[in-house]
Amino acid sequence: MTPEQVLDTYDEEYVRGYEEKFLFTPDHGFLDKTRLELMTLRLLTLGAESWLDVACGTGYFLRNARGHEALRCAGLDLSPAMVAAARHANPDAQILQGDFLAAYPELEGRWEVVSSLWGAYGLQPSFEHIARLVENLARWASPGGTVLMPLFDPQLFLLYRERGQLAPGILLSEDATRWSFHEPEGKVHQDMLAPSLDSMRALFEPLFESVTLFPYPEPMPMVGLLAQGRR
C-alpha cells in the first residue's frame, strides 16, 4: 500500500471502531492475540527503562502493556487520527506523527524495547522498504536492546485457508506472500506483503545477538519475532 492509501484507510471513523474490531473481539483469534502481546510486552518492559512502539495505532498497548509505572514511553504512527487517539490515551508519552521509514535522529539508540505490532510492516510496497524499517527499528533500539515484531506466516495463511479459519475477506496470492483484506464496510488493505519467515529473520540476524520465533494462538496466521541484544 502507498502512504496515501494507508492514510485514506486509517481515518477518524476507522480509528473509532479499531480496538473493538481488531483487539477485543474473540473472532478469528484477535482477542487471544491481544492477550498474548500484552503479556509479552509487560514481561519485556518489566526491567526496562524505555519503550518505543512503532506504528502504535490507538496507543492501546502503550497504555496497557507497561511493565511498571516509571517506564518512559513513546509512539510513532503515520495516521494523524491514530496519533490523536494515542496521545489522548497516553498523555505522559511522546507520540510522533510520521513515516517509520524516515530518519529520526532524536530516537536513535534510546529505547531498551522497540515494538511494531499488527503486521504494520506488511503495508510497505516492497521488501526493500521492509528492510529499511528493520534497520530503523534496530537503530532506535539501545545497545543490547530488544525488538518485538509479530510476523504473518505464509504457511499458516495457507493452512488456515485450507481449514476455513481465515477471517472473511482475506484473499491470498498463490504462495501467500501477498494478501488483501476486504472489509464489509468497504475498506481494503490491498496487496499486503508477507515475506517468508526465513527472509524476515535474515533481516534481523546481522543486527542482533539472537533472533527467535514463538507461536501465536490459532487461528492467527502469525508468529512472534523477538530480536535481542542489538549489536
Side-chain angles (χ1 to χ4, degrees):
M1 296 176 70
T2 67
E4 292 75 22
Q5 289 173 317
V6 173
L7 289 171
D8 184 61
T9 298
Y10 292 89
D11 57 16
E12 291 184 7
E13 181 180 0
Y14 196 76
V15 168
R16 281 195 293 271
Y18 181 86
E19 292 184 3
E20 189 63 37
K21 184 184 294 186
F22 295 111
L23 301 184
F24 302 152
T25 177
D27 297 345
H28 321 301
F30 289 172
L31 180 58
D32 288 339
K33 171 186 178 295
T34 298
R35 288 170 172 163
L36 173 63
E37 290 173 346
L38 286 171
M39 179 186 69
T40 301
L41 286 163
R42 287 169 184 160
L43 289 173
L44 289 176
T45 60
L46 184 61
E49 295 183 357
S50 56
W51 169 28
L52 170 65
D53 192 24
V54 178
C56 65
T58 62
Y60 171 82
F61 288 98
L62 280 175
R63 181 174 72 251
N64 293 287
R66 304 185 190 194
H68 58 90
E69 293 183 359
L71 188 68
R72 176 170 56 88
C73 297
L76 172 67
D77 203 280
L78 181 64
S79 162
M82 284 291 195
V83 166
R87 286 173 176 166
H88 178 75
N90 299 274
D92 60 337
Q94 177 190 17
I95 309 292
L96 302 175
Q97 191 271 316
D99 187 345
F100 56 31
L101 299 183
Y104 295 90
E106 69 273 24
L107 297 179
E108 291 185 10
R110 294 186 56 202
W111 310 96
E112 291 181 49
V113 177
V114 178
S115 57
S116 185
L117 307 176
W118 246 127
Y121 70 96
L123 296 168
Q124 301 313 296
S126 73
F127 185 75
E128 288 70 27
H129 289 80
I130 295 176
R132 194 186 313 167
L133 168 61
V134 172
E135 290 173 359
N136 274 350
L137 298 178
R139 185 176 297 115
W140 298 333
S142 60
T146 295
V147 170
L148 170 66
M149 180 190 274
L151 303 175
F152 284 102
D153 181 352
Q155 297 305 310
L156 288 178
F157 264 137
L158 294 171
L159 174 64
Y160 294 144
R161 182 179 66 178
E162 182 180 342
R163 294 179 178 176
Q165 293 178 293
L166 287 183
I170 291 181
L171 302 176
L172 303 178
S173 66
E174 184 175 349
D175 62 358
T177 60
R178 289 182 179 269
W179 61 287
S180 298
F181 179 36
H182 296 254
E183 300 185 48
E185 298 83 0
K187 294 286 189 180
V188 179
H189 288 67
Q190 187 66 44
D191 205 26
M192 302 270 284
L193 298 182
S196 71
L197 296 185
D198 286 344
S199 63
M200 290 298 298
R201 186 169 184 160
L203 293 177
F204 284 89
E205 287 180 332
L207 306 171
F208 292 86
E209 295 292 340
S210 70
V211 180
T212 57
L213 302 178
F214 60 90
Y216 263 53
E218 294 188 9
M220 282 303 304
M222 303 186 82
V223 301
L225 181 145
L226 193 62
Q228 296 176 290
R230 199 268 280 173
R231 301 181 192 274

